[in-house]
């Protein structure tokens, strides 16, 4: 493995760990705040974290030179990421265990692989087809309820699958336009757009916010991880390694989320949810295994 591959893999692993921790922090906060209260505070803090990073790193220098196209790519990805993020947090709010949300989100590499084949002309192999089938089966197993698969239409499941689809579109666009991608710039725009939308919805609702110090702690740490660290690391990985490989490493977030939710929230998936989660991990591994994974052009 060359240096670019190693660094890209480490960035993707860092994104996976940060995302898992942010799921747990966000669930802790959402147990006490409404979605609008959460969104206003979470993404307003995110603007602060990203603004500081953008200035300290002097990322604005990276925007110079083809600034128009770089801004266009950043805004397009930010809109996709923003919509997906909103849906993901609706899923975390609706579902008891954030690890289950994370496991269902493993449907993402299915979308990434299919889009990679159709849009990036990446090569397709038999193991990928098997992995796709196993991953989809795993999602169905996770959503099994007594008497059948009626649970598949649960709002939480619909939210997270829709979010995974939008995240996959953003991943493919990021890979396609990686030469124009400035991760810190895109992350700042994403946080700003989400903060503005949440602020408008919040003030229209007439709600007020009262937040304890413990909740502020979870908000600060969680928003730092999700709005800055995850995004910068994930898109830095995309600049170095294949979209499918990035998705594989980030999909391990389900394992980390399970462990962290168990340790800090006392939550553990049911046997059938855990079995479905394992299936999604096996499926993702097959989709992106080096012997059958897609390759760059």
């Amino acid at each position: 493995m060359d240096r670019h591959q190693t660094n890209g893999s480490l960035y993707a692993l860092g994104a996976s760990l940060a995302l898992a921790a942010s799921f747990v922090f966000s669930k802790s906060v959402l147990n006490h705040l409404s979605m609008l209260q959460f969104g206003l505070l979470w993404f307003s803090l995110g603007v602060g974290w990203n603004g500081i990073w953008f200035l300290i790193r002097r990322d604005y220098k990276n925007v110079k030179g083809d600034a128009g196209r770089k801004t266009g790519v950043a805004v397009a990805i930010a809109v996709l990421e923003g919509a997906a993020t909103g849906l993901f947090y609706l899923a975390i709010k609706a579902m008891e265990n954030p690890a289950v949300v994370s496991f269902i989100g493993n449907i993402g590499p299915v979308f990434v692989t299919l889009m990679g084949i159709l849009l990036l002309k990446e090569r397709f192999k038999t193991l990928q087809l098997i992995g796709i089938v196993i991953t989809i089966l795993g999602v169905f197993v996770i959503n099994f309820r007594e008497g059948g698969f009626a649970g598949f239409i649960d709002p939480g499941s619909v939210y997270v699958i829709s979010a995974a689809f939008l995240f996959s579109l953003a991943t493919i666009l990021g890979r396609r336009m990686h030469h124009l991608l400035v991760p810190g710039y895109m992350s700042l725009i994403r946080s700003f757009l989400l903060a503005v939308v949440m602020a408008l919805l919040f003030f229209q609702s007439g709600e007020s916010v009262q937040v304890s110090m413990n909740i502020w702690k979870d908000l600060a740490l969680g928003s730092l991880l999700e709005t800055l660290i995850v995004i910068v690391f994930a898109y830095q990985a995309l600049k170095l390694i294949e979209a499918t490989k990035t998705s594989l490493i980030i999909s391990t977030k389900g394992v980390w989320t399970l462990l962290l939710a168990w340790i800090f929230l006392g939550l553990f998936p049911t046997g059938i949810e855990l079995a479905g989660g394992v299936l999604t991990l096996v499926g993702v591994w097959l989709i992106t295994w080096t012997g059958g994974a897609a390759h760059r052009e």
Side-chain angles (χ1 to χ4, degrees):
M1 183 181 291
D2 63 28
R3 184 169 59 85
H4 279 184
Q5 291 286 312
T6 299
N7 290 342
S9 297
L10 289 174
Y11 276 121
L13 179 59
S16 178
L17 291 167
L19 187 57
S22 75
F23 283 173
V24 175
F25 282 121
S26 65
K27 182 61 179 178
S28 176
V29 174
L30 284 165
N31 285 337
H32 302 283
L33 300 181
S34 72
M35 186 64 199
L36 291 181
Q37 293 169 335
F38 165 83
L40 174 66
L41 298 175
W42 186 273
F43 296 114
S44 295
L45 286 168
V47 173
W49 299 131
N50 279 276
I52 292 169
W53 174 267
F54 191 71
L55 292 174
I56 290 177
R57 294 272 300 181
R58 298 183 178 180
D59 269 353
Y60 49 85
K61 292 186 176 181
N62 295 327
V63 179
K64 294 179 181 178
D66 216 357
R69 293 180 68 195
K70 287 178 179 177
T71 299
V73 170
V75 170
I77 293 177
V79 169
L80 290 171
E81 287 266 357
T85 299
L87 289 168
F88 239 105
Y89 285 119
L90 284 172
I92 289 175
K93 178 76 171 176
M95 304 182 82
E96 181 182 1
N97 193 334
V100 176
V101 175
S102 184
F103 280 135
I104 296 175
N106 283 342
I107 195 78
V110 173
F111 296 136
V112 170
T113 300
L114 294 177
M115 291 178 195
I117 294 163
L118 295 173
L119 302 177
L120 301 184
K121 308 303 181 184
E122 293 180 337
R123 294 200 293 269
F124 182 88
K125 294 191 177 182
T126 304
L127 274 180
Q128 289 179 293
L129 176 60
I130 296 171
I132 288 170
V133 172
I134 291 175
T135 302
I136 294 173
L137 176 62
V139 172
F140 271 89
V141 170
I142 291 171
N143 285 278
F144 181 82
R145 301 291 187 275
E146 185 177 353
F149 288 101
F152 194 66
I153 60 173
D154 282 353
S157 300
V158 174
Y159 291 147
V160 72
I161 292 171
S162 301
F165 178 76
L166 292 176
F167 275 130
S168 299
L169 280 176
T171 298
I172 291 297
L173 179 57
R175 182 64 203 150
R176 183 76 174 181
M177 308 299 291
H178 66 90
H179 58 291
L180 294 172
L181 189 61
V182 182
Y185 187 41
M186 186 278 295
S187 186
L188 176 61
I189 292 173
R190 168 185 176 270
S191 293
F192 178 76
L193 291 176
L194 281 165
V196 169
V197 170
M198 287 296 179
L200 292 173
L201 293 174
F202 175 80
F203 291 118
Q204 283 183 348
S205 73
E207 292 185 23
S208 60
V209 183
Q210 291 183 340
V211 182
S212 70
M213 188 56 66
N214 282 336
I215 294 177
W216 271 116
K217 178 193 67 176
D218 289 348
L219 277 166
L221 290 173
S223 64
L224 173 63
L225 291 170
E226 190 275 327
T227 65
L228 177 61
I229 304 300
V230 172
I231 303 301
V232 171
F233 278 23
Y235 283 95
Q236 193 63 38
L238 279 175
K239 295 178 73 171
L240 300 171
I241 59 176
E242 298 89 344
T244 46
K245 188 169 185 179
T246 301
S247 293
L248 167 64
I249 298 172
I250 293 179
S251 71
T252 62
K253 68 187 181 297
V255 176
W256 313 125
T257 306
L258 187 153
L259 292 174
L260 292 173
W262 181 32
I263 293 169
F264 294 106
L265 301 179
L267 299 172
F268 199 79
T270 64
I272 197 161
E273 288 171 342
L274 190 57
V278 171
L279 281 175
T280 65
L281 288 173
V282 171
V284 170
W285 178 76
L286 288 174
I287 291 171
T288 52
W289 180 56
T290 54
H295 298 280
R296 283 179 287 184
E297 294 178 282

